[in-house]
Structures are given as C-alpha cells and as structure tokens.
Amino acid sequence: MLKEFKEFISRGNVMDLAVGVIIGGAFTAIVNSLVKYIINPFLGLFVGAIDFSDLVFKIGNATFRVGSFLNAVINFLISKHTIV
C-alpha cells in the first residue's frame, strides 16, 4: 500500500497541484499585504480614510462593512490580473 501511495504522489499532476497550492498561498499573502499597506493608504489620500476596512454604515441593527468588501474586491482584481 505504501508503494502504491508513493507512485500516486510521484505523478506529475499531484506534484504540480501541491506546488500550485503552496505558491498560491504565498501569493495570496503578498497580494493582501500589497492592498492593505500600499494601495489602501494611497487611495485613502483621496477618500480621506487610511484604512477601508473601517468604512461601515449602519441601518437599524445591521452593520454593513463596505470597506472590507472593497478590500476583497481590490485583492481579487490584483490576483486575477497578475495570474492571467
């Protein structure tokens, strides 16, 4: 059984997937820090807020975290265009 597992793991597709997952995780951390520490403060100069994650509005008891959503959109756009 161990021999079969080693053969399965040593296939190219499994190794490529493992490398892709590791690189993707590292790349996500880089993009998140780029957005949080460089892009958001730059955009904050024009909007007036340094950190978009603090941008919220409330209706009744509901709190809408618009800033966190904007951060996620910026992260997605950077990740999408960098990978492709």
Side-chain angles (χ1 to χ4, degrees), residues 2-78:
L2 185 60
K3 181 181 175 184
E4 292 171 357
F5 180 71
K6 285 182 182 180
E7 289 175 9
F8 172 74
I9 283 295
S10 64
R11 288 185 189 170
N13 294 340
V14 175
M15 295 302 281
D16 290 344
L17 177 64
V19 169
V21 168
I22 292 169
I23 291 174
F27 186 73
T28 300
I30 292 169
V31 170
N32 286 337
S33 67
L34 173 71
V35 170
K36 185 175 181 179
Y37 299 119
I38 295 176
I39 293 176
N40 282 349
F42 180 73
L43 294 175
L45 293 173
F46 302 107
V47 177
I50 298 298
D51 186 11
F52 285 130
S53 62
D54 294 334
L55 186 62
V56 297
F57 70 91
K58 295 183 179 187
I59 299 176
N61 291 333
T63 302
F64 298 91
R65 300 190 179 276
V66 179
S68 296
F69 176 73
L70 288 175
N71 286 343
V73 169
I74 293 169
N75 284 343
F76 172 76
L77 291 175
I78 292 174

